[in-house]
Amino acid sequence: MPESPDKAYYVTTPIYYVTAAPSIGSAYTTVVGDVLTRWHRQRGERVWYLTGTDEHGQKVMRAAEANGQTPQAWTDHLVETAWKPVLSTIDVANDQFVRTTDADHTERVQEFWRCLQEGGDVYEGRYEGPYCVGCEEFKLPADLVTVGGVDSCSIHGTAVEMVSEANYFFSMSRYADKLLELYETRPGFVQPESARNEVIAFVKQGLEDLSISRSTFDWGIKVPWDESQVLYVWIDALLNYVTAAGYGTDPERFAGLWPADVHLVGKDILRFHAVIWPAMLMAAGLDVPHQVFAHGWLLVGGEKMSKSKATAIAPEVITDHFGSDAYRYYFAKTIAFGSDGSFSWEHMSAVYTSELANGLGNLASRVTAMVGKYFDGQLPAPAADGPAEKALAETLAATVERADAAIDRLAIHEAVTAVSDLISDINGYVTEQEPWQVAKDTSEEGRARLASILYAAADSLRAVAVLHNPVMPKTCATLWAALGADALGALVAQRVQETGQWGQLPAGVTLTKGQSLFPRLEAAEGVAE
Ligand code: ME8
């Protein structure tokens, strides 16, 4: 089916299990997705950014039981008090929040599976084998490790449970060849390359059919043709990406969103997204997404940080101390998107001080203060550019290209690094040009030279305010204000691709030193900086 020309750039995060409050692990995907979508919005594209919660299944049911609540009361409470509020804690501008207990979602999921059943892709069978509740996954022998003589999940390290049930099955094995063809003809479908290779090797071993229902508990969406069973949580959860987009309820809206441009997922849930999900879509005659991108894990002691292992850190512990912008910057820049990474308080403090406070913060305050001191706060018109200004202008244009191209490859860390390198270059330029020395020369040439230096530095900061806006929206709003936002009008909403052009800041605009962009950190209680 040809895509609608008005289709939005549609990005999704996984929907998170509501077993506990969010950690910086789950917030990681959401933050990076937010940087990506804000960047695309700032290119002038229509964007749709979806996140939400996965509320059915044994894992959530057991968490609710352990807390003496019904699963519905438990998820209602946690979603409202923790999962939705964390989005403002980390300053995420999602367009929609989906819950798998939403009536719209459950009805569409039933409809979807009824169609597949009627189409002959579902049959009755018996499942016998290991299951990990932590992963909510039927495991293959190759997925297991032995811990204390017991077959265990390689991700959770906990014993798998043996399941023996009469279930319904989806004839997924039928789609193995079509899946291999998809990976072959669309190399970008699974990325990065290591993830693509892993998926191809997995499917080449041969695909088994998938058990799609459970009969031993009832916290789930009822199988539409057999109310004694509930649908397997993953084949309910994956459908959120289409039910939230209007599948089956609003064809016009659906055409304007689907297929998704990218599903951002952690590497632990790659197979679900790159194998099961496209097979389900093929069976239903729907387009598959453009891309599934698997990122790495935040590790603690070499293992995945997780809610269940109590190694999780709450995002607000970090944002309360460093602010949401520094938080976003840290996770977007210091972890290569696609690789594992980690967080440490010491590393974050060092990055905050060297790159944000002493880097961008100091630069903005030096430049605005000097325009205040030497030109009464009015940005002077530049005289002719010298070699240093020409070099800076070239660096600026190259930075925009480098960052924009990195975003297209989902190398989010490279895009942020390109902008932070630009800040170092501007700082280097100011240090080398020594405007405070030039200011001692009160001749006409001296004043003209001083005007050129300060103009070049301020105009470069204008570009930084655009390019860093997707990562640090609060800081960039303050920076725009310091650059005289009121007088700048449309420039404040400048598009990324217009940023690289030199000399856009209007001379005469009033610059103010204003508040410090990154205040000195107070020593955190009990934490050495
Ligand atoms: O898997 N490092 O939910 P989930 C990096 N409900 N990312 C992490 C992380 C860590 N330590 N911990 C969690 C599920 N994540 C399913 C998804 S989608 C149809 C259903 C991120 O709560 C990462 O993106 O276990 C991972 O894929 C996601 O949270 C899964 O969170």
Side-chain angles (χ1 to χ4, degrees), residues 14-17 25 29 54 234 241 266 269 295-298 305 307:
I15 49 171
Y16 303 102
Y17 288 127
T29 322
D54 188 355
W234 266 100
Y241 303 130
I269 57 173
H295 65 71
W297 288 337
L298 301 192
M305 172 186 293
K307 294 172 267 185

Side-chain angles (χ1 to χ4, degrees), residues 183 186-200 261-267 270 273-274 290-296 337-339 408-411:
Y183 310 141
R186 285 179 34 191
F189 178 73
V190 185
Q191 281 297 310
E193 212 49 32
S194 55
R196 175 168 181 262
N197 293 336
E198 184 190 319
V199 167
I200 292 175
D261 288 81
V262 57
H263 292 316
L264 302 175
V265 299
K267 63 184 181 182
L270 175 63
H273 285 82
H290 288 305
Q291 185 166 76
V292 174
F293 192 98
H295 65 71
F337 196 55
S339 307
D408 282 337
R409 285 183 287 117
L410 259 61

Side-chain angles (χ1 to χ4, degrees), residues 222-511:
K222 297 250 184 276
V223 172
W225 60 89
D226 178 354
E227 298 240 319
S228 70
Q229 301 216 17
V230 292
L231 291 167
Y232 167 45
V233 61
W234 266 100
I235 56 108
D236 144 7
L238 287 163
L239 282 164
N240 90 87
Y241 303 130
V242 291
T243 62
Y247 164 72
T249 49
D250 188 343
E252 205 175 318
R253 181 160 179 270
F254 189 58
L257 290 174
W258 194 255
D261 288 81
V262 57
H263 292 316
L264 302 175
V265 299
K267 63 184 181 182
D268 46 332
I269 57 173
L270 175 63
R271 273 187 218 166
F272 295 101
H273 285 82
V275 181
I276 298 177
W277 180 224
M280 282 166 58
L281 290 165
M282 285 171 180
L286 292 171
D287 288 335
V288 300
H290 288 305
Q291 185 166 76
V292 174
F293 192 98
H295 65 71
W297 288 337
L298 301 192
L299 305 174
V300 178
E303 288 188 19
K304 180 180 176 227
M305 172 186 293
S306 85
K307 294 172 267 185
S308 58
K309 285 187 187 145
T311 49
I313 303 171
E316 55 272 21
V317 172
I318 301 173
T319 55
D320 282 353
H321 189 65
F322 294 99
S324 59
D325 277 356
Y327 179 105
R328 296 164 59 91
Y329 178 86
Y330 181 85
F331 287 104
K333 174 168 182 284
T334 69
I335 300 171
F337 196 55
S339 307
D340 290 342
S342 59
F343 163 83
S344 86
W345 200 269
E346 293 72 18
H347 186 219
M348 171 125 196
S349 298
V351 168
Y352 181 96
T353 302
S354 69
E355 298 181 22
L356 297 179
N358 296 346
L360 176 56
N362 195 30
L363 173 66
S365 111
R366 281 208 288 176
V367 172
T368 49
M370 284 190 282
V371 172
K373 184 168 171 191
Y374 304 130
F375 292 96
D376 285 335
Q378 308 293 303
L379 182 69
D385 284 341
E389 289 70 42
K390 287 191 177 128
L392 191 57
E394 276 169 27
T395 304
L396 170 57
T399 299
V400 176
E401 276 186 30
R402 181 179 152 205
D404 213 26
I407 289 287
D408 282 337
R409 285 183 287 117
L410 259 61
I412 312 293
H413 55 291
E414 281 182 37
V416 187
T417 301
V419 184
S420 89
D421 287 351
L422 172 66
I423 293 168
S424 303
D425 289 334
I426 308 168
N427 248 327
Y429 165 83
V430 172
T431 305
E432 274 167 29
Q433 299 308 315
E434 298 184 311
W436 48 91
Q437 296 294 353
V438 177
K440 291 178 187 158
D441 176 358
T442 51
S443 71
E444 208 173 306
E445 294 88 75
R447 290 292 287 171
R449 183 70 204 130
L450 182 61
S452 292
I453 298 168
L454 292 181
Y455 182 86
D459 194 49
S460 308
L461 272 173
R462 178 264 317 160
V464 168
V466 179
L467 297 172
H468 256 344
N469 191 44
V471 189
M472 299 192 285
K474 288 180 182 146
T475 301
C476 290
T478 312
L479 181 55
W480 274 120
L483 295 175
D486 285 350
L488 296 176
L491 249 192
V492 176
Q494 190 167 40
R495 291 186 175 187
V496 166
Q497 55 273 41
E498 292 153 3
T499 308
Q501 179 68 38
W502 186 245
Q504 297 188 48
L505 211 50
V509 76
T510 304
L511 270 53

